Amino acid sequence: EQAPHNCQRCLRAREKRRQARRETQNLGGAQATAAQREESPSCPSSLSRGTPPSSPAAGTRQEPQGAPGRSFQRDPLIKKVGMLIQFLLEKYTMEEPVTKADLLKLVNKRYKRKFPEILRRVAECVQLVFGLELKEVKPGGDSYALVSKLHVSDDGRQSSGGRFRKNGLLMLVLGVIFVHGDCASEEEVWEFLNGLGVYVGRCHIIFGEPRKLITEDLVQEKYLVYRQVRDGNLPCCELLWGRRAHAETSKMKVLEFMAKVAGTVPSALPDLYEEALKDEEERAQARCVVRCENSLHLSGVLD
């Protein structure tokens, strides 16, 4: 006998999804129009959902209806954010402070008025992704430095922070996979990461050798699935969420992370937000079924 699962929690989740659909319907149309008017920069948050590879094993992936709306907002500021992050990480490697004048040169005059917003987003991104804090060298001064947020023990040693550092890169990769329809080509993943200064074959100060971390370490830990497929006559590789990623996080959590990196909020990305809400509802229903079945087992009904 199938256990009932229409508990109050599930009903509330379903109603939340309906409400979000109504609230984001008009927002989605407005943003789509605005996106068409803007030039799409080569940057991490402007990833559109391209045509993904297909394979006999996985079947041919097709873009869902309305796929263009699933791309992140085309935001001209994110390119500047990425440039400043790369520059700051280089200075962090050399243990050198950075002046406001240095950063303004990278931003250029066109975005000078937006500098406070750009700097705020840089600070949030380096904290989320790299575990670093952007601080003023002197309060009220015009020089900045990145400071590690790793725990310092009583003997003066820093903890490795390896898990945290992996998490930053993992959340980015999971986000790219989600944006591209739950399966992203390796090329799409690196296109995104390059915008944050993470490159194949180049040792990263925070992540080490990033390709090994993504295609070996996180695969062995079951957070990612990395497999070879064929794109026409050419072999290529793609990435999917692994078993532990499905168990330990959710599309909503990943979307919230990616939205912060892009300087926006999840509900401003209607198609992705709708899918994340659907995932939350399905998870709530699955948990409810398990609870109901356990309750029936305990009462002896299903024994």
Side-chain angles (χ1 to χ4, degrees):
E1 182 180 354
Q2 184 177 6
H5 59 267
N6 286 328
C7 66
Q8 290 298 317
R9 186 172 181 178
C10 293
L11 293 173
R12 285 197 300 270
R14 191 175 295 115
E15 179 57 31
K16 180 180 177 183
R17 183 179 164 220
R18 293 195 190 101
Q19 182 179 354
R21 187 185 298 115
R22 291 192 295 268
E23 291 175 352
T24 59
Q25 185 175 10
N26 293 333
L27 177 62
Q31 288 185 331
T33 302
Q36 291 173 358
R37 295 175 181 172
E38 293 183 1
E39 181 183 1
S40 176
S42 175
C43 59
S45 68
S46 64
L47 279 179
S48 296
R49 302 199 40 207
T51 304
S54 59
S55 69
T60 302
R61 283 199 302 148
Q62 296 180 348
E63 299 297 335
Q65 197 170 15
R70 297 172 64 93
S71 64
F72 276 78
Q73 287 177 301
R74 294 177 177 178
D75 182 358
L77 295 186
I78 194 66
K79 186 173 184 179
K80 300 299 178 185
V81 170
M83 290 172 61
L84 263 59
I85 288 174
Q86 292 184 48
F87 181 70
L88 285 165
L89 288 175
E90 289 173 5
K91 292 294 185 180
Y92 177 70
T93 304
M94 298 182 286
E95 299 183 349
E96 295 179 358
V98 177
T99 65
K100 183 178 180 180
D102 292 331
L103 299 178
L104 283 171
K105 286 179 184 177
L106 292 173
V107 170
N108 73 42
K109 295 179 180 179
R110 182 180 177 185
Y111 295 101
K112 187 174 181 179
R113 290 185 178 181
K114 296 284 188 180
F115 180 74
E117 180 184 349
I118 293 172
L119 194 63
R120 176 187 61 79
R121 287 168 59 173
V122 166
E124 188 165 52
C125 190
V126 294
Q127 180 172 332
L128 279 170
V129 179
F130 304 115
L132 299 171
E133 184 176 2
L134 182 65
K135 302 185 74 172
E136 292 181 333
V137 175
K138 293 181 180 179
D142 287 334
S143 60
Y144 307 90
L146 292 176
V147 179
S148 175
K149 292 178 68 65
L150 299 180
H151 172 70
V152 179
S153 60
D154 294 335
D155 61 3
R157 297 184 191 177
Q158 285 188 332
S159 61
S160 65
R163 181 70 267 159
F164 177 84
R165 295 183 177 201
K166 285 184 181 180
N167 284 347
L169 187 62
L170 174 61
M171 290 295 278
L172 289 176
V173 175
L174 293 176
V176 178
I177 294 170
F178 177 29
V179 168
H180 286 85
D182 299 330
C183 184
S185 69
E186 189 173 9
E187 181 182 2
E188 289 165 336
V189 170
W190 288 110
E191 179 187 355
F192 183 95
L193 295 179
N194 289 172
L196 292 174
V198 182
Y199 300 95
V200 175
R202 184 186 299 181
C203 187
H204 193 274
I205 185 172
I206 305 297
F207 302 129
E209 208 299 289
R211 191 174 190 278
K212 177 181 181 299
L213 177 56
I214 292 172
T215 63
E216 295 181 28
D217 298 350
L218 292 173
V219 171
Q220 290 173 2
E221 294 176 15
K222 308 299 182 184
Y223 285 107
L224 294 172
V225 173
Y226 180 66
R227 65 189 185 190
Q228 189 175 80
V229 294
R230 299 196 71 82
D231 185 8
N233 294 323
L234 299 175
C236 65
C237 295
E238 62 184 13
L239 288 147
L240 300 88
W241 284 34
R243 174 174 52 80
R244 287 184 67 181
H246 283 291
E248 296 178 17
T249 191
S250 67
K251 289 183 175 180
M252 185 60 77
K253 290 179 182 177
V254 169
L255 180 59
E256 289 170 351
F257 183 93
M258 296 293 281
K260 286 181 180 179
V261 170
T264 185
V265 293
S267 59
L269 307 166
D271 293 336
L272 293 170
Y273 189 53
E274 172 74 11
E275 184 169 338
L277 284 171
K278 181 180 178 182
D279 180 64
E280 291 290 294
E281 180 181 336
E282 291 172 350
R283 285 170 175 269
Q285 288 181 349
R287 289 192 295 268
C288 183
V289 169
V290 171
R291 285 195 300 271
C292 291
E293 288 180 345
N294 289 340
S295 177
L296 290 172
H297 277 298
L298 288 173
S299 64
V301 174
L302 294 182
D303 291 338

